[in-house]
Amino acid sequence: MLQIDAWKRVLIWSLCALGLILALPNGFYNRVEQHNDAAQAIQLGADTPENQALLAQWPEFMPSALVNLGLDLRGGAHLLAEVQVEQVYASRIEAMWPEVRDVLRAERATVGTIRLQPSAADVLRIRIGEPAGLQRAIQLVRTLEQPVQTLTGVGANDIEVRADGADVVVVTLSDEEKLASDERTVQQSLEIVRRRIDEVGTREPTIQRQGSQRILIQVPGIGSAAELKEIIGTTAQLTFNPVVNRTSDQNTAPGIGNKLVPSLDEPGLFYVIESAPVVTGEDLVDAQPSFDQNGNPAVSFRFNTTGARRFGDYTAENIGSPFAIVLDDEVVSAPVIQSHIPGGSGIITGNFNVEESTNLAVLLRAGALPAELTFLEERTIGPELGQDSIDAGQIATIVAFAAVLVFMGLSYGLFGLFANIALIINIGLIFGLLSMIGATLTLPGIAGIVLTVGMAVDANVLVFERIREELKSSRGPARAIELGYEKALSAILDANITTFITAVILFAMGSGPVRGFAITLGLGILTSVFTAIFVTRLMVVMWFERRRPKTIEV
């Protein structure tokens, strides 16, 4: 008998209503998007009358999640960047010099004087004053070795220490450590790029690793590739270095262990600073835009416990000495240390405007890129092209939708009308689910929806053909409908499960647009099976209970 429990009927209609309500904001896309942007701006402190007016465009009690439009629909920027992993070798070796110097200093009676020698950037050469103490010096430097923390580097150490001649100790990174460093550098760059883009509130960026050293970055809705490069391309390497002296001669020889860097705000002025920093931006835990004592824009910062201790110790021992705040090899400011600074916080001043201080705080908060990014590809996709894609997708969807509606109506009459209503609900449910999970709709994703429209009625066709067969066998209407659904169920599930598995594999193995297609196809299969098995059946049952026909035509 055709019976569906009352609670099941309530559940089916509730799910349909919920899906359609979730999909509703997409029918007012621009208005809801402006509402969401205004809500975000107000939350960040921009509580202006204009934002309040935009906020009022959409009721607060209604859902406001939208289907995110991908790069090919909204327009935006595309970059392919290569991480210069070799730069990290030099900074690692440079940072080791203070440790090597300190460990040799303790044995000066054995190794004699210690002098840093000119060498390649990724090699540390130290000449000692007593050649007889060379082996002891090597032994001491080897105490700084650390095991490589990767599976491929098991049993290896991070540095190699060897003798060169009678009185020179050479320190380099081991091959295993270089491989581990490359992996860490790319992963760190990937995370920092993601954090920087998230900090500026951009929606649904695509940030993926490609190959061993490359990163693909696609950000919908951003004005140009140049704007995107400005956000993510700055290294933002912040260090705090002791100042040796100041000069206006850019050809000044800085001396071994030092380097010459220009002043950011004073053209023609250069600083000779010690290469090994006292504290780096890696020790920062917070950076916020603020104002200095003269009311000029500045950036306040705070160190973690380790950085605060080193910063405090250095300021206590060097009162009266200048201290350079260096950003990407330019001295932002070089204040004289007036007193011990124990709290681990400070302020960066310079000729900033409010926007520059805000951007600098964002970059410092997101962290410094461990190495430079070289951009191999850059493209700006205009919104006009995206609008053309949307219009073409809409036309394709409407044509496919109308053709299916006409075919089902002509082929199955009243039952075809039920299938068409279910198809409309099905499309609504797809957009509701896409909005709920925050998926990104791309042009291939639209193709997935168009394909779903065609496939969605397959299940109904199977059911209706079974019902026809049962009617030809002289079954009664109620029994024919019941057997039609029962016998078609296994075929419906088999066909859709295999397609769903394909969608899952596409999602797992693919990337970018392929994933967009897999998402809409997979969600479309779930909603079409739901509407075919439950929604159309419920509509047929409710019609049958009301009319009680003696015969039916399918």
Side-chain angles (χ1 to χ4, degrees):
M1 296 294 290
L2 287 177
Q3 288 184 344
I4 298 178
D5 296 336
W7 70 270
K8 290 182 180 177
R9 301 185 185 205
V10 173
L11 179 62
I12 291 169
W13 288 127
S14 298
L15 289 175
C16 292
L18 179 62
L20 295 177
I21 290 173
L22 289 174
L24 185 62
N26 295 287
F28 307 88
Y29 200 93
N30 291 333
R31 180 181 297 184
V32 178
E33 187 178 41
Q34 290 174 350
H35 162 89
N36 293 345
D37 291 342
Q40 188 177 9
I42 292 172
Q43 192 175 9
L44 294 174
D47 191 359
T48 62
E50 291 79 10
N51 284 334
Q52 287 292 347
L54 293 174
L55 185 69
Q57 289 188 147
W58 186 252
E60 285 298 321
F61 63 88
M62 290 292 290
S64 57
L66 291 167
V67 176
N68 294 304
L69 300 180
L71 189 70
D72 50 357
L73 297 180
R74 177 185 285 268
H78 163 106
L79 293 176
L80 180 62
E82 186 170 76
V83 184
Q84 302 302 309
V85 293
E86 296 81 6
Q87 292 180 353
V88 178
Y89 307 157
S91 60
R92 283 283 309 278
I93 288 296
E94 184 179 83
M96 287 201 67
W97 164 236
E99 294 181 73
V100 173
R101 180 186 57 197
D102 292 344
V103 77
L104 292 177
R105 250 183 203 164
E107 293 276 338
R108 183 164 285 178
T110 305
V111 302
T113 56
I114 308 157
R115 288 192 174 85
L116 186 63
Q117 300 297 298
S119 63
D122 57 348
V123 178
L124 197 62
R125 293 173 60 87
I126 309 107
R127 185 182 297 280
I128 59 174
E130 295 291 342
L134 181 60
Q135 291 306 315
R136 177 57 179 161
I138 292 174
Q139 187 181 11
L140 288 170
V141 176
R142 281 180 176 163
T143 61
L144 300 175
E145 292 177 343
Q146 298 291 330
V148 178
Q149 303 292 334
T150 61
L151 290 176
T152 56
V154 173
N157 291 319
D158 58 346
I159 58 174
E160 292 177 348
V161 186
R162 58 183 171 84
D164 185 12
D167 58 354
V168 175
V169 178
V170 178
V171 183
T172 57
L173 293 179
S174 66
D175 292 339
E176 293 81 1
E177 177 60 18
K178 286 181 178 177
L179 284 175
S181 173
D182 292 352
E183 180 66 21
R184 284 195 303 268
T185 302
V186 175
Q187 289 294 344
Q188 189 179 350
S189 300
L190 204 63
E191 178 59 27
I192 288 171
V193 166
R194 180 174 289 113
R195 284 160 58 184
R196 287 183 177 183
I197 292 176
D198 288 346
E199 281 273 358
V200 294
T202 304
R203 289 192 185 88
E204 291 300 314
T206 298
I207 305 168
Q208 296 172 338
R209 182 173 180 173
Q210 287 202 340
S212 59
Q213 299 180 16
R214 294 179 180 179
I215 298 174
L216 173 68
I217 307 151
Q218 293 180 329
V219 183
I222 204 161
S224 67
E227 185 181 342
L228 179 57
K229 285 169 64 177
E230 192 173 336
I231 295 172
I232 64 172
T234 305
T235 311
Q237 187 75 46
L238 183 70
T239 59
F240 296 79
N241 302 62
V243 174
V244 178
N245 60 50
R246 303 194 323 168
T247 178
S248 57
D249 182 6
Q250 61 178 348
N251 297 317
T252 299
I256 299 171
N258 301 327
K259 60 183 177 181
L260 185 71
V261 293
S263 169
L264 180 65
D265 300 329
E266 300 172 88
L269 181 63
F270 296 85
Y271 286 83
V272 177
I273 62 172
E274 292 185 15
S275 298
V278 177
V279 194
T280 70
E282 293 181 1
D283 296 309
L284 280 179
V285 293
D286 191 23
Q288 295 292 338
S290 61
F291 295 92
D292 63 14
Q293 57 188 2
N294 298 319
N296 297 319
V299 177
S300 58
F301 60 86
R302 185 162 52 85
F303 289 124
N304 59 19
T305 306
T306 306
R309 186 175 63 251
R310 289 206 300 268
F311 190 64
D313 291 347
Y314 184 84
T315 55
E317 296 168 1
N318 293 275
I319 293 174
S321 300
F323 192 53
I325 301 173
V326 184
L327 181 67
D328 290 341
D329 279 338
E330 287 185 308
V331 175
V332 176
S333 60
V336 175
I337 300 171
Q338 302 292 344
S339 62
H340 176 214
I341 305 175
S345 62
I347 187 168
I348 302 173
T349 59
N351 289 330
F352 302 130
N353 56 36
V354 173
E355 184 181 358
E356 288 170 343
S357 66
T358 303
N359 289 340
L360 179 58
V362 166
L363 293 173
L364 295 178
R365 207 163 49 238
L369 284 170
E372 287 184 19
L373 298 178
T374 300
F375 296 100
L376 307 176
E377 289 179 14
E378 54 181 277
R379 292 201 301 271
T380 301
I381 299 172
E384 296 81 8
L385 179 61
Q387 189 58 50
D388 290 344
S389 302
I390 293 175
D391 293 342
Q394 283 179 340
I395 292 172
T397 305
I398 291 171
V399 170
F401 195 69
V404 170
L405 293 182
V406 172
F407 173 78
M408 292 299 291
L410 294 177
S411 299
Y412 299 104
L414 180 63
F415 281 60
L417 177 62
F418 293 148
N420 289 339
I421 295 173
L423 182 59
I424 295 171
I425 295 174
N426 181 30
I427 298 297
L429 291 179
I430 291 174
F431 277 90
L433 285 173
L434 288 172
S435 303
M436 187 176 69
I437 66 176
T440 299
L441 183 63
T442 60
L443 199 56
I446 293 179
I449 293 176
V450 175
L451 180 61
T452 301
V453 170
M455 294 173 60
V457 293
D458 280 359
N460 292 118
V461 170
L462 285 173
V463 172
F464 297 160
E465 290 299 326
R466 291 287 185 185
I467 293 175
R468 278 181 174 172
E469 291 175 2
E470 297 302 325
L471 290 173
K472 290 177 182 174
S473 304
S474 302
R475 305 279 188 186
R479 185 61 178 160
I481 294 172
E482 186 178 11
L483 289 176
Y485 275 99
E486 286 180 3
K487 292 183 177 179
L489 183 61
S490 61
I492 294 172
L493 293 179
D494 289 346
N496 285 281
I497 286 174
T498 52
T499 310
F500 187 76
I501 290 173
T502 304
V504 171
I505 293 173
L506 280 176
F507 181 80
M509 305 295 291
S511 62
V514 176
R515 280 194 163 191
F517 176 79
I519 288 174
T520 53
L521 179 63
L523 292 179
I525 290 170
L526 293 176
T527 55
S528 63
V529 169
F530 170 75
T531 53
I533 295 178
F534 296 103
V535 178
T536 57
R537 183 173 188 173
L538 179 56
M539 285 191 286
V540 170
V541 169
M542 292 176 66
W543 167 80
F544 193 85
E545 289 175 343
R546 186 178 179 85
R547 295 295 179 89
R548 292 290 178 185
K550 301 295 183 184
T551 60
I552 58 174
E553 291 185 4
V554 179

